[in-house]
Amino acid sequence: MGLRARRWLVDGAVTALVAVVVGLDLWWSVPGTRAADGVSYGLLGVTLVAVALRRHAPVVVMLACLAVQAAFTLLGHRGELLNLATLVGLFTVAVQGSRRRTVVVGGAVVVGSGLLGAYAGGWSSAPVPELLWPTVSLLLGEAVRGHRELRREHADREARAAAEQELLAADRIRQERLRVARDVHDVVAHTMTAVNVQMGVAVAAFDRDPTVAREALAQARRASRDALGELRSAVALLREPADRGRGSGADASPAPTLADIARLADQVRSAGIAVTVDDRTSALPAAVAATAYRIVQEALTNVVKHSLASQVVVTVEASDAAVTIEVVDDGRGDSGAGEGFGRRGMAERAAAIGGWATSGPLPRGGFQVRARLPLGTGEGVL
């Protein structure tokens, strides 16, 4: 049953209850009082129409019911339940209005009901019931309205919390996609650069020096195998926990760290570039070590691809607070790479663990990459 149908059903039941109770009170008149007649039942009809429309104009309905109650009193009707319609209207005003309106309108109704009770009793005694029943109706209406407001507030809080959770989930997904994109870019770009260089060496030396060609092809094969291992690790992280360990290559190799920089340096040397590595670090948090490796990897990839350098120096040192990385080459300075995904990825990786990374040409030629990664970040997400 819909909300509108339920409201019509409730309004019908309330209207029927008022009709029966007030009608019987009019019919069963107190001895010595006015007997019910056509005028009485006509006023009752006005009351029933007002009660049926109470949701649409509660204040008007309540005033109409109070006017009918006054008419009953002035005509000489006496009854304990002739004010039932007024109480229903007052309850509706309290439920559908504000507390300020309830106090103002309710106060006026209580005073009016008290005056009618005093008039009916001959001003000989205090009209306690006439003052009490409107007050009770007001309090009940206020209680219902307060309960509904609490329910709406609770529902709003739940909706806001759900919306915030959705935003957080979407942000986590975005961050994860960005991390995977950086990993794939770093692995594929570095590997393809190394393979391209080695294949070039192999082609050039194929007829002249088969030994050199074979060694270059072996280097290309090793680089491809390492890249496959890293990509397999990245894919394994994207699987559901229950799916990890299934299928070939399920035992993913650990993420590379600064200890693997020597392998990067060998690949760059095979491209004919002299590489000097000065690593002054020891045990580092996993997040910092992996981020540092990726930054060095991207910097060396750009050296091979764009710089036309003859030598490059990699310096990594740690203090009590942070790890500082510096990669400097003697190439043409602009790196030829522009602000591409690689340089942006280095800055994003550093920022993800609270650090920073910059890159740009040096005044006297060459290109420099600098990064600072704070320690104490634990096993943060890369």
Side-chain angles (χ1 to χ4, degrees), residues 280-294:
R280 306 172 193 172
T281 64
S282 55
L284 298 175
V288 177
T291 301
Y293 172 86
R294 293 300 186 190

Side-chain angles (χ1 to χ4, degrees), residues 105-129:
V105 176
V109 173
V110 169
V111 172
S113 179
L115 291 175
L116 290 175
Y119 172 80
W123 310 97
S124 59
S125 61
V128 176

Side-chain angles (χ1 to χ4, degrees), residues 170-206:
D171 185 65
R172 284 194 296 268
I173 293 173
R174 185 183 65 83
Q175 293 293 338
E176 183 63 15
R177 290 178 62 185
L178 184 61
R179 185 192 68 80
V180 172
R182 286 195 299 259
D183 283 347
V184 171
H185 172 273
D186 291 346
V187 173
V188 173
H190 179 79
T191 302
M192 294 305 297
T193 299
V195 169
N196 183 63
V197 170
Q198 296 302 329
M199 294 299 291
V201 172
V203 170
F206 189 78

